[in-house]
């Protein structure tokens, strides 16, 4: 994850970084995580080295633990790039995360490289950084924002400060103005989608604020400098790239609770660094998959906790606290382990699964680090599912559970609809009942259509009247748009020849007969229809308004018996 | 009516609703919008509202009046089938194309006509291509072992347009379809009684 990011980040700009990684000096908690990463030792070194460098950004992020020891100028570029990238990442809250700082540095570094600022940027940025840096560090590595360094706070205030600083400082502005940075920032804004947004939320938009600040700054700068401030596609691409690599590493994150949120981002950054053009296509899918499991893992713990957890990510102790505070429902460690163990396979599975399931049975290990209530991933919509207590938490079972719940919910609806289904239990029996019912209904319709056809033939001479009434209906409808009208007109036309009493009595008699004789097909069901609907219709409708009542009350005598007399006025 | 139905080739919902029953559907749709606001979103509530019943009844009557098979006077089953198809189509139109089964009903006729045209044009060659052998629903019984799966397929075949859908989709469609069928039965029963009642009355009075 983060290490991944670092590795890649480190690799891209300056592949051979003789940085020395000193885990103990820096934040210890994250280090083991890094160590656990299966990256090559060299990569690790690089990442480590990078890790060391970010103290200045750390100060910015309020990380007091940062080791200011190593300021490797060789890594200066990376620093800056890391820093810039870190800026975008909202995970920097607690900033014990060297990765974040690293990212920021990298960004800054890249910034320095790009945009022809040449010496300007480093020069401009470095004093700025230096001013801020209480952790020392080379000029290039100096802390990003002076005011930020003052109190090591949580990410929220830090990010705000950072944002302000960013807005205030021209160097920062330039930094943000760098097209590469802007692009990266834009990517980041879109990138983490779930995780990222979650972090943003947690940090009360700190991370997002940082990102937002950039575009804002760009806008303040006059916009001309940054043509592509928020290129979400690029960001997504970045994310996808990152996701490619990010998936395995994030899983590896052992003790970290909500690391996945950070890791995807960082890994995405790293992905970006790595010229992974080929991986773009697959990367996107993988990224989606990677992003999906990562944020999935960390579903919503309480926001406060999420904040803490995000901040505490680098801190094992804090993480532990969060863990304890977290919902007891999920087996976090186990889930974690599961995730880690299955990360590579999981990515593929989830990919397929996500593709397969529209709703996405997105399992969510209640790590609750990023307590993102709803992932706003634009690419896919996931349904966040929380593993229940005592239930398996692997992706398959959770997805299965979601699917089963959907099915059972629909079966319940059907149960209400189909009479006689309350007694039976079990899918097979219920399906039997449903099938029988549908078949009976269809047979009824056929029978009725036969009957209607026979009736029609006998009454064909009367069809003229209905037709005329139909014309009337159409004309009237154009004016009134009252559905009652045609029925009324046609029915009355049909019945026009007969006395109302006569008709009423006849209808009554005929209708009273109907349930028994012609519709003996499914006596019970039809009884339910006729007895309720027709009888009530007949009694209420015919005596009252005539044929109108048929349709009026026929629809729902149970629902609106009182209105059967009158036309429905809605 | 058949011609009018067939003339509407596009399968899209909007087109269907517009062209299908011409003025009738348009008028009914306007009326429906007027009265449908109060109806619930669930399929049960929707098909049980009086407004929906009225809409369907009006459509049904118009459709039936257009079934002019009496002059040709084919056999009773044929006429009955025509009436039934008309009723089903009216029901599908009332569904406003929001459900799979309604869309399948409305498009089935077009496909049939299309296939007929193909057959005419392609002579004998197009027949096998155009028409798929219909497997009866009951034949599924002997096929697959898992009972639930078998029944799901059965149900899928019963509900129009859901032959190869997964289970949750089939259940959803079945819910809506059952509610719509109930309304259809109610409306047709009432109409039949009405007509038969008036028939009796007229026969009684004239005779």
């Amino acid at each position: 994850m983060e290490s991944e990011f670092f590795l890649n980040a480190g690799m891209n700009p300056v592949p051979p970084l003789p940085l020395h990684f000193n885990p103990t000096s820096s934040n210890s908690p994250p280090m083991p995580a890094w160590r656990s990463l299966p990256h090559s030792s060299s990569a690790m070194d690089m990442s480590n080295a990078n890790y060391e460098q970010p103290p200045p950004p750390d100060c910015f992020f309020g990380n007091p633990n940062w080791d200011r020891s190593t300021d490797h100028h060789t890594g200066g570029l990376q620093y800056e790039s890391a820093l810039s990238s870190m800026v975008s990442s909202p995970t920097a809250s607690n900033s014990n995360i060297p990765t974040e700082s690293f990212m920021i540095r990298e960004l800054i570094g890249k910034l320095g490289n790009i945009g022809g600022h040449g010496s300007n940027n480093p020069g401009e940025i470095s004093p700025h950084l230096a001013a801020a840096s209480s952790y020392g560090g080379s000029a290039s590595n100096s802390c990003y924002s002076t005011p930020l360094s003052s109190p090591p706070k949580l990410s929220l205030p830090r990010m705000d400060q950072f944002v302000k600083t960013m807005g205030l400082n021209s160097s920062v502005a330039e930094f943000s103005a760098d097209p590469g940075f802007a692009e990266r920032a834009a990517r980041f804004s879109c990138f983490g989608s779930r995780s990222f947004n979650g972090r943003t939320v947690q940090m009360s938009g700190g991370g997002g604020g940082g990102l937002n600040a950039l575009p804002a700054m760009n806008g303040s700068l006059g916009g001309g400098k940054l043509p592509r401030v928020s290129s979400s596609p690029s960001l997504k691409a970045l994310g996808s790239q990152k996701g490619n690599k990010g998936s395995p590493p994030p899983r590896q994150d052992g003790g970290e609770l909500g690391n996945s949120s950070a890791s995807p981002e960082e890994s995405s950054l790293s992905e970006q660094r790595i010229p992974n053009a080929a991986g773009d296509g697959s990367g996107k899918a993988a990224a989606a998959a990677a992003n999906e499991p990562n944020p999935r893992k960390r579903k919503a713990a309480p926001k406060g906790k999420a904040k803490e957890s995000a901040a505490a990510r680098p801190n094992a102790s804090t993480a532990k606290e969060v863990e304890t505070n977290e919902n007891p429902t999920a087996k976090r460690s186990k889930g974690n382990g599961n995730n880690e163990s299955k990360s590579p396979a999981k990515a593929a599975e989830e990919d397929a699964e996500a593709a397969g399931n529209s709703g996405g049975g997105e399992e969510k290990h209640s790590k609750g680090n990023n307590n993102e209530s709803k992932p706003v991933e634009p690419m896919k919509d996931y349904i966040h599912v929380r593993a229940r207590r005592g239930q398996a938490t692997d992706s398959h079972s959770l997805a299965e559970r979601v699917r089963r719940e959907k099915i059972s919910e629909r079966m319940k609806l059907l149960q209400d609809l189909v009479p006689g289904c309350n007694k039976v239990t079990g899918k097979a029996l219920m399906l039997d009942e449903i099938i029988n019912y549908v078949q009976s209904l269809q047979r009824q319709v056929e029978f009725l259509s036969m009957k209607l056809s026979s009736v029609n033939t006998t009454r064909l001479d009367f069809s003229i009247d209905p037709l005329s009434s139909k014309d009337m209906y159409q004309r009237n409808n154009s004016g009134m748009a009252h559905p009652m009208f045609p029925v009324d007109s046609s029915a009355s036309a049909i019945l026009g020849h007969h006395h109302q009493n006569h008709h009423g009595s006849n209808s009554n008699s005929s209708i009273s007969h109907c349930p028994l004789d012609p519709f003996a097909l499914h006596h019970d069901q039809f009884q339910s229809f006729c007895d309720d609907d027709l009888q009530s219709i007949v009694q209420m409708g015919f005596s009252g308004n005539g044929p109108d009542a048929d349709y009026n009350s026929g629809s729902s005598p149970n629902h609106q018996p009182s209105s059967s007399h009158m036309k429905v006025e809605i | 009516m058949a011609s009018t139905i067939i003339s509407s080739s596009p399968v899209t919902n909007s087109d269907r609703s517009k062209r299908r029953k011409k003025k009738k559907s348009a008028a009914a749709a306007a009326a429906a919008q007027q009265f449908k606001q109060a109806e619930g979103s669930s399929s049960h509530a929707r098909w049980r509202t009086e407004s929906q019943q009225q809409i369907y009844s009006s459509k049904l009557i118009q459709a039936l009046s257009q079934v002019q098979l009496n002059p040709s006077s084919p056999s009773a089953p044929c006429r009955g089938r025509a009436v039934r198809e008309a009723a089903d189509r009216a029901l599908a139109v009332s569904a406003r194309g929001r459900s799979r089964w309604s869309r399948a009903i409305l498009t089935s006729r077009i496909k049939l006509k299309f296939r007929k045209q193909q057959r005419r044009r392609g002579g004998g060659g197009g027949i096998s291509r155009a028409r798929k052998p219909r497997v009866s629903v009951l034949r599924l019984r002997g096929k697959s072992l898992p009972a639930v799966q078998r029944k799901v397929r059965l149900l899928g075949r019963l509900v129009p347009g859901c032959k190869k859908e997964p289970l949750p989709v089939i259940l959803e469609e079945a819910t809506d379809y059952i509610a719509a069928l109930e309304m259809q039965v109610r409306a047709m029963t009432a109409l039949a009684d009405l007509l038969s009642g008036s028939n009796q009355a007229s026969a009684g009075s004239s005779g």
Side-chain angles (χ1 to χ4, degrees), chain A residues 104-255:
Chain A
I104 292 178
R105 290 192 188 199
E106 255 192 329
L107 284 177
I108 297 179
K110 287 223 170 161
L111 224 97
N113 293 340
I114 313 174
H117 293 289
S119 55
N120 280 349
N121 270 352
E124 285 176 7
I125 295 180
S126 49
H128 183 59
L129 295 176
S133 164
S134 59
Y135 300 91
S138 65
S140 57
N141 298 339
S142 57
C143 193
Y144 209 133
S145 48
T146 313
L148 294 181
S149 63
S150 44
K153 296 175 195 167
L154 282 186
S155 60
L156 291 178
R158 207 111 331 229
M159 288 306 296
D160 296 342
Q161 287 177 350
F162 176 69
V163 170
K164 290 175 200 163
T165 312
M166 295 277 291
L168 293 177
N169 296 325
S170 59
S171 62
V172 173
E174 283 208 38
F175 162 76
S176 61
D178 184 295
F181 175 73
E183 196 173 348
R184 223 167 293 117
R187 286 186 196 180
F188 266 4
S189 58
C190 304
F191 159 85
S193 67
R194 262 172 291 168
S195 58
F196 193 85
N197 287 344
R199 290 217 193 139
T200 321
V201 168
Q202 299 164 11
M203 314 177 80
S204 65
L211 275 186
N212 297 338
L214 300 175
M217 286 190 303
N218 296 330
S220 66
L221 291 180
K225 294 186 187 176
L226 293 179
R228 16 174 195 148
V229 169
S230 55
S231 52
S232 36
S234 61
L235 180 60
K236 280 186 193 163
L238 168 63
S240 65
Q241 280 182 350
K242 176 183 159 179
N244 229 344
K245 295 220 174 164
S247 47
R251 311 286 167 75
Q252 316 267 333
D253 209 5

Side-chain angles (χ1 to χ4, degrees), chain A residues 75-94:
Chain A
L77 288 182
Q78 295 178 353
Y79 258 105
E80 293 176 341
S81 56
L83 184 56
S84 55
S85 59
M86 290 306 288
V87 168
S88 52
S89 83
T91 60
S93 64
N94 250 350

Side-chain angles (χ1 to χ4, degrees), chain A residues 449-487:
Chain A
S449 67
M450 297 274 294
K451 186 169 195 287
L452 272 177
S453 69
S454 69
V455 166
N456 256 357
T457 53
T458 61
R459 302 186 52 75
L460 197 57
D461 47 347
F462 285 102
S463 64
I464 301 172
D465 288 327
L467 283 178
S468 63
S469 65
K470 184 181 92 167
D471 295 340
M472 285 164 46
Y473 156 67
Q474 286 172 353
R475 264 177 267 129
N476 289 327
N477 256 7
S478 58
M480 285 182 49
H482 191 18
M484 278 307 303
F485 213 87
V487 173

Side-chain angles (χ1 to χ4, degrees), chain A residues 437 458 460 473 533 555 568, chain B residues 50 62 70 182 186 199:
Chain A
Y437 190 59
T458 61
L460 197 57
Y473 156 67
D533 304 352
S555 59
V568 176
Chain B
E50 304 202 6
Q62 288 196 357
N70 218 12
E182 286 181 1
R186 279 198 301 265
N199 212 357

